[in-house]
Amino acid sequence: MIKDRNNQPLTHPGVAPDPFQDRRAVLHQLPARERLSEINTDLQALAQNPTAAVTFHRKKLLRMHDAARLEAGLTSPAQLQRENSPVARMDFSQAQIVWKPRAHVSA
């Protein structure tokens, strides 16, 4: 039998508050082109300290950057997909499947 979950709010004592939440709220209020320059400035100024808060803030800023570029008309969704895809620059037209026999283990 499935019981109803008790979802905890983000202010739960076990979850640290996001120190960058207010800055992102300010950035969301800016027009797209201004937001782009502010995001670039923030990304350069971010500490290279790999804490969880900094890492997630950087990821959120990068997503906001992509959204602002789309909103400003500086890129198309297809171009953005190519930029963000790890396999977009690979040419699979000459790819070959290499079949190798597997070793069989008998007991």
Side-chain angles (χ1 to χ4, degrees):
M1 177 176 183
I2 299 175
K3 294 183 179 180
D4 192 350
R5 283 195 205 176
N6 183 12
N7 292 329
Q8 299 294 327
L10 291 178
T11 57
H12 183 271
V15 177
D18 186 357
F20 302 104
Q21 182 176 356
D22 293 337
R23 176 61 181 154
R24 286 192 309 272
V26 169
L27 289 172
H28 276 294
Q29 302 301 321
L30 297 174
R33 293 200 184 251
E34 288 180 40
R35 192 178 329 135
L36 281 171
S37 63
E38 290 292 323
I39 289 172
N40 286 332
T41 304
D42 286 4
L43 283 170
Q44 290 174 354
L46 264 180
Q48 294 302 317
N49 187 8
T51 64
V54 170
T55 300
F56 287 116
H57 180 59
R58 179 178 289 115
K59 288 181 178 185
K60 290 176 184 179
L61 284 179
L62 291 171
R63 288 186 191 111
M64 284 177 62
H65 188 269
D66 288 346
R69 287 177 57 209
L70 284 173
E71 185 180 331
L74 299 175
T75 188
S76 68
Q79 181 181 0
L80 191 60
Q81 175 66 33
R82 283 191 302 274
E83 291 173 7
N84 291 333
S85 173
V87 295
R89 292 170 191 85
M90 295 181 186
D91 180 19
F92 291 102
S93 64
Q94 302 297 321
Q96 296 179 356
I97 297 176
V98 179
W99 297 99
K100 292 183 181 180
R102 295 188 298 174
H104 294 280
V105 179
S106 58

